Amino acid sequence: MNILHSALAGLIGLGCGQVAAAQISSNTLTAFNQAVETGDASAIEVASTNLMNEAIANPDDPDALIAAYEAALKLCDIDCAAALPGAEFALGFSATGQHPIMAERELLAAFASFTAESTRDTRRALLAALNNMQDPTLLSARAFMPLYTDLAARDNLRDAAAVAGLAVRELRPVRSSVLQYYLHAAETHATTSFLEAKTLESHEALVRWNAELRELKASVGPNDAPEWLERAFWRSEAWLGLAGVFYSSTDKNGDGSGRFRRGDVTYLSEDAVAAIYQQYSIPDDFDVVLTGQDVANGLPVCGAIPRASDGLEYPRSALSNGDIGYTILRYDTDEDGYVIDESVRMLAAVPGGVFEEAVIDALSDWRFRVTGDLRPPECYIQRTDIIHTISFRLR
């Protein structure tokens, strides 16, 4: 059974058996039900507003609570701030133990208040309401991202990470039904936690996010992953790479990167990371940098290294800001070992918009130099889908 539930398809049975006593107009109920069935946003907005207002005007009607709540819930899909009167009205009724339970009513009122105006009080109230939800709902799933975005924009990374963590906790039991949203929540939680604090917990969040994506990618095969999964997978690899760059750039003398010092930084050991990966269904032969075609005509691949160091420069803005970075690229080489410009693709870069241009510009001058005993034509240097990582670190 799907744990998620949304607004009822309509109040079809509302008032049945008590029509004579009902004070909410049957025409208003019918209009609301019809609007919900059609799915027309403008019709739903009008019908929801009318039903909400009529329920508020008739608090003694037996159906006033459910009518006001459902009308406000549907209105919240379109203009949540406008749903505040109905949400607050529903809060005025005592707890019944039935839908809408008090936690649902509190969440709707908190989300509507936050949407109307983001203040410290409305943000705290919404976070508290989300914490009080025992089971995930479509409303709680919707409420996480606006609150997270608001907090992150205010550089309140601690609370933003907590909100994303709540989303992960709430959506994990139903992740198969909301897979992309769940993975997005896992990404925001992992990356925001890492930015906020360099701790064992934030490192573990990054590793587990990556492990889930490796598991998914392995389950569909290296060449059959949908585009959204492919992009998310490489982003997670880049963030793990960035974490490694950060940890290695924090020296033992207490001088760290940015606002973090060595004493503030903790991270998982290689054995601890390996133990986490073992908890997921990831094949032992899973290869992150698996190439598409490494052998032609039965020839072995030449040993080769890129002659690239002369063309790659640390971007001046990143250097002056003290930024570190990690990039992952895919490209092909021709029969002479030159990188084919048209094949270059940036799979992921962290932070975004900082190092990509420098890397792509440098790649146009790259050529692989053959090493080892074998030389063409005894071996093969032309390759496709080469995965290459380039990190930027301060020394």
Side-chain angles (χ1 to χ4, degrees):
M1 183 178 69
N2 191 345
I3 299 177
L4 287 171
H5 67 269
S6 62
L8 301 179
L11 302 176
I12 303 297
L14 203 61
C16 290
Q18 45 190 317
V19 176
Q23 296 170 287
I24 299 175
S25 166
S26 60
N27 290 336
T28 305
L29 291 172
T30 299
F32 175 79
N33 290 332
Q34 290 176 344
V36 171
E37 288 175 358
T38 63
D40 181 79
S42 59
I44 291 174
E45 183 175 12
V46 172
S48 297
T49 302
N50 289 341
L51 179 57
M52 179 181 72
N53 291 338
E54 196 162 327
I56 293 172
N58 296 280
D60 294 330
D61 188 294
D63 296 319
L65 168 58
I66 185 68
Y69 176 82
E70 293 295 346
L73 190 63
K74 293 304 294 183
L75 186 56
C76 188
D77 290 340
I78 302 165
D79 181 3
C80 203
L84 185 56
E88 291 181 334
F89 174 76
L91 270 182
F93 288 81
S94 301
T96 63
Q98 299 177 341
H99 175 73
I101 61 175
M102 188 58 72
E104 293 172 330
R105 290 184 253 163
E106 289 172 348
L107 176 59
L108 179 58
F111 190 30
S113 296
F114 166 79
T115 305
E117 183 179 11
S118 174
T119 66
R120 177 179 295 183
D121 288 342
T122 60
R123 291 191 294 271
R124 287 179 174 175
L126 180 53
L127 181 56
L130 287 168
N131 261 311
N132 289 336
M133 291 294 293
Q134 297 300 311
D135 295 314
T137 67
L138 290 180
L139 180 61
S140 64
R142 281 186 54 224
F144 280 116
M145 192 49 60
L147 180 57
Y148 169 85
T149 303
D150 183 282
L151 292 168
R154 298 173 188 275
D155 289 328
N156 187 347
L157 296 183
R158 184 184 299 274
D159 285 347
V163 168
L166 277 175
V168 172
R169 183 198 71 186
E170 187 163 309
L171 296 175
R172 182 178 288 118
V174 292
R175 60 184 176 272
S176 61
S177 301
V178 287
L179 183 59
Q180 290 189 53
Y181 193 91
Y182 166 74
L183 289 172
H184 184 53
E187 177 174 354
T188 55
H189 176 237
T191 56
T192 308
S193 297
F194 176 75
L195 290 173
E196 196 275 326
K198 306 300 187 287
T199 62
L200 294 174
E201 291 76 16
S202 64
H203 190 193
E204 181 175 346
L206 284 176
V207 173
R208 289 194 179 278
W209 168 45
N210 175 256
E212 294 209 54
L213 288 164
R214 288 190 180 190
E215 183 179 62
L216 278 170
K217 188 172 170 64
S219 70
V220 300
N223 300 315
D224 298 322
E227 184 62 25
W228 69 265
L229 175 56
E230 191 76 8
R231 292 196 302 268
F233 169 75
W234 289 116
R235 285 198 305 273
S236 72
E237 292 290 333
W239 273 96
L240 270 184
L242 181 75
V245 170
F246 177 86
Y247 298 139
S248 65
S249 66
T250 307
D251 65 37
K252 297 180 180 180
N253 297 323
D255 296 326
S257 175
R259 64 188 177 91
F260 296 98
R261 300 178 67 84
R262 180 70 185 179
D264 301 325
V265 176
T266 57
Y267 51 92
L268 301 173
S269 66
E270 291 184 4
D271 288 343
V273 171
I276 291 174
Y277 282 125
Q278 290 175 1
Q279 298 172 22
Y280 296 82
S281 299
I282 305 172
D284 292 338
D285 60 352
F286 181 82
D287 187 355
V288 172
V289 296
L290 183 67
T291 55
Q293 184 179 351
D294 284 346
V295 179
N297 301 322
L299 295 175
V301 176
C302 299
I305 59 173
R307 301 174 63 179
S309 58
D310 293 340
L312 186 60
E313 296 183 358
Y314 215 112
R316 290 184 179 181
S317 60
L319 191 59
S320 62
N321 292 332
D323 292 334
I324 59 175
Y326 197 88
T327 61
I328 306 176
L329 302 101
R330 173 182 284 145
Y331 55 85
D332 305 335
T333 55
D334 63 19
E335 63 276 7
D336 296 317
Y338 286 101
V339 171
I340 301 173
D341 289 348
E342 296 79 9
S343 71
V344 177
R345 180 186 174 192
M346 181 67 66
L347 297 178
V350 182
V354 178
F355 298 98
E356 294 97 315
E357 185 176 352
V359 170
I360 292 175
D361 286 347
L363 239 65
S364 62
D365 297 325
W366 281 22
R367 183 187 184 186
F368 279 78
R369 176 171 58 85
V370 176
T371 60
D373 297 331
L374 290 179
R375 302 278 168 167
E378 288 80 16
C379 62
Y380 188 67
I381 195 170
Q382 182 178 5
R383 297 175 65 186
T384 61
D385 291 336
I386 298 172
I387 305 297
H388 201 107
T389 65
I390 299 175
S391 61
F392 294 81
R393 67 188 70 203
L394 302 172
R395 299 187 183 278

